[in-house]
Short mmCIF file of all heavy atoms in Angstrom, two decimals:
data_model
loop_
_atom_site.label_atom_id
_atom_site.label_comp_id
_atom_site.label_asym_id
_atom_site.label_seq_id
_atom_site.Cartn_x
_atom_site.Cartn_y
_atom_site.Cartn_z
N LYS M 467 -29.23 5.63 -112.69
CA LYS M 467 -28.85 4.94 -111.45
C LYS M 467 -28.36 3.53 -111.75
O LYS M 467 -27.37 3.06 -111.18
CB LYS M 467 -30.04 4.90 -110.50
CG LYS M 467 -30.41 6.25 -109.92
CD LYS M 467 -31.60 6.12 -108.98
CE LYS M 467 -31.99 7.50 -108.41
NZ LYS M 467 -33.17 7.39 -107.50
N MET M 468 -29.06 2.84 -112.65
CA MET M 468 -28.61 1.49 -113.01
C MET M 468 -27.25 1.52 -113.71
O MET M 468 -26.41 0.64 -113.51
CB MET M 468 -29.66 0.83 -113.92
CG MET M 468 -30.91 0.38 -113.18
SD MET M 468 -31.97 -0.66 -114.21
CE MET M 468 -32.56 0.54 -115.41
N GLU M 469 -27.04 2.56 -114.54
CA GLU M 469 -25.74 2.68 -115.23
C GLU M 469 -24.62 2.88 -114.22
O GLU M 469 -23.53 2.29 -114.33
CB GLU M 469 -25.81 3.85 -116.21
CG GLU M 469 -24.51 4.01 -117.01
CD GLU M 469 -24.58 5.19 -117.97
OE1 GLU M 469 -25.61 5.90 -118.00
OE2 GLU M 469 -23.58 5.40 -118.69
N VAL M 470 -24.88 3.75 -113.19
CA VAL M 470 -23.87 3.98 -112.15
C VAL M 470 -23.59 2.70 -111.40
O VAL M 470 -22.44 2.34 -111.10
CB VAL M 470 -24.35 5.10 -111.19
CG1 VAL M 470 -23.41 5.17 -109.99
CG2 VAL M 470 -24.41 6.43 -111.91
N LEU M 471 -24.68 1.95 -111.08
CA LEU M 471 -24.50 0.70 -110.35
C LEU M 471 -23.67 -0.30 -111.14
O LEU M 471 -22.74 -0.93 -110.62
CB LEU M 471 -25.87 0.10 -110.03
CG LEU M 471 -25.87 -1.29 -109.38
CD1 LEU M 471 -25.14 -1.26 -108.06
CD2 LEU M 471 -27.29 -1.82 -109.21
N ILE M 472 -23.99 -0.44 -112.42
CA ILE M 472 -23.26 -1.40 -113.26
C ILE M 472 -21.80 -0.97 -113.40
O ILE M 472 -20.88 -1.79 -113.36
CB ILE M 472 -23.94 -1.53 -114.63
CG1 ILE M 472 -25.31 -2.18 -114.46
CG2 ILE M 472 -23.08 -2.33 -115.59
CD1 ILE M 472 -26.15 -2.18 -115.72
N LYS M 473 -21.58 0.34 -113.55
CA LYS M 473 -20.19 0.84 -113.66
C LYS M 473 -19.41 0.55 -112.37
O LYS M 473 -18.25 0.11 -112.42
CB LYS M 473 -20.18 2.33 -113.94
CG LYS M 473 -18.80 2.94 -114.13
CD LYS M 473 -18.89 4.40 -114.47
CE LYS M 473 -17.50 4.98 -114.74
NZ LYS M 473 -16.61 4.86 -113.58
N ASP M 474 -20.06 0.78 -111.20
CA ASP M 474 -19.39 0.49 -109.94
C ASP M 474 -19.09 -0.99 -109.81
O ASP M 474 -18.01 -1.39 -109.32
CB ASP M 474 -20.27 0.94 -108.77
CG ASP M 474 -20.28 2.45 -108.60
OD1 ASP M 474 -19.42 3.11 -109.22
OD2 ASP M 474 -21.11 2.97 -107.83
N MET M 475 -20.01 -1.84 -110.26
CA MET M 475 -19.78 -3.28 -110.18
C MET M 475 -18.61 -3.69 -111.06
O MET M 475 -17.77 -4.52 -110.67
CB MET M 475 -21.05 -4.02 -110.60
CG MET M 475 -22.20 -3.88 -109.60
SD MET M 475 -23.79 -4.50 -110.24
CE MET M 475 -23.39 -6.21 -110.52
N LEU M 476 -18.51 -3.11 -112.25
CA LEU M 476 -17.41 -3.44 -113.15
C LEU M 476 -16.08 -2.95 -112.57
O LEU M 476 -15.05 -3.65 -112.62
CB LEU M 476 -17.65 -2.82 -114.53
CG LEU M 476 -18.79 -3.43 -115.35
CD1 LEU M 476 -18.99 -2.64 -116.63
CD2 LEU M 476 -18.50 -4.89 -115.67
N ASP M 477 -16.07 -1.72 -112.03
CA ASP M 477 -14.83 -1.19 -111.44
C ASP M 477 -14.39 -2.03 -110.25
O ASP M 477 -13.19 -2.32 -110.07
CB ASP M 477 -15.05 0.27 -110.99
CG ASP M 477 -15.14 1.22 -112.17
OD1 ASP M 477 -14.71 0.83 -113.28
OD2 ASP M 477 -15.61 2.36 -111.99
N LEU M 478 -15.33 -2.44 -109.43
CA LEU M 478 -15.00 -3.26 -108.27
C LEU M 478 -14.42 -4.61 -108.71
O LEU M 478 -13.47 -5.12 -108.12
CB LEU M 478 -16.24 -3.46 -107.41
CG LEU M 478 -16.03 -4.24 -106.10
CD1 LEU M 478 -15.02 -3.53 -105.22
CD2 LEU M 478 -17.34 -4.41 -105.36
N ALA M 479 -15.00 -5.17 -109.78
CA ALA M 479 -14.49 -6.47 -110.28
C ALA M 479 -13.06 -6.31 -110.78
O ALA M 479 -12.20 -7.16 -110.54
CB ALA M 479 -15.40 -6.97 -111.40
N LYS M 480 -12.78 -5.18 -111.47
CA LYS M 480 -11.41 -4.95 -111.94
C LYS M 480 -10.44 -4.81 -110.77
O LYS M 480 -9.33 -5.35 -110.79
CB LYS M 480 -11.36 -3.68 -112.79
CG LYS M 480 -12.06 -3.80 -114.14
CD LYS M 480 -11.96 -2.49 -114.90
CE LYS M 480 -12.69 -2.56 -116.24
NZ LYS M 480 -12.62 -1.26 -116.96
N LEU M 481 -10.85 -4.08 -109.75
CA LEU M 481 -9.97 -3.87 -108.60
C LEU M 481 -9.72 -5.18 -107.87
O LEU M 481 -8.59 -5.47 -107.46
CB LEU M 481 -10.60 -2.85 -107.65
CG LEU M 481 -10.62 -1.39 -108.15
CD1 LEU M 481 -11.53 -0.55 -107.29
CD2 LEU M 481 -9.21 -0.80 -108.16
N GLU M 482 -10.76 -6.00 -107.67
CA GLU M 482 -10.59 -7.26 -106.95
C GLU M 482 -9.75 -8.25 -107.73
O GLU M 482 -9.04 -9.08 -107.15
CB GLU M 482 -11.97 -7.85 -106.65
CG GLU M 482 -12.74 -7.07 -105.60
CD GLU M 482 -14.12 -7.66 -105.34
OE1 GLU M 482 -14.58 -8.45 -106.20
OE2 GLU M 482 -14.72 -7.34 -104.31
N ASN M 483 -9.80 -8.21 -109.05
CA ASN M 483 -9.03 -9.14 -109.89
C ASN M 483 -7.61 -8.66 -110.14
O ASN M 483 -6.84 -9.35 -110.80
CB ASN M 483 -9.74 -9.34 -111.23
CG ASN M 483 -11.06 -10.07 -111.07
OD1 ASN M 483 -11.23 -10.84 -110.14
ND2 ASN M 483 -12.00 -9.81 -111.97
N GLY M 484 -7.24 -7.48 -109.65
CA GLY M 484 -5.89 -6.96 -109.85
C GLY M 484 -5.61 -6.53 -111.27
O GLY M 484 -4.46 -6.54 -111.71
N ALA M 485 -6.66 -6.14 -111.99
CA ALA M 485 -6.48 -5.74 -113.39
C ALA M 485 -6.14 -4.26 -113.53
O ALA M 485 -5.96 -3.77 -114.64
CB ALA M 485 -7.76 -6.05 -114.18
#
Side-chain angles (χ1 to χ4, degrees):
K467 290 180 181 180
M468 286 191 291
E469 183 181 1
V470 171
L471 174 60
I472 293 172
K473 183 177 183 300
D474 285 347
M475 291 169 61
L476 290 175
D477 288 342
L478 184 60
K480 291 180 182 178
L481 289 167
E482 290 179 342
N483 293 332

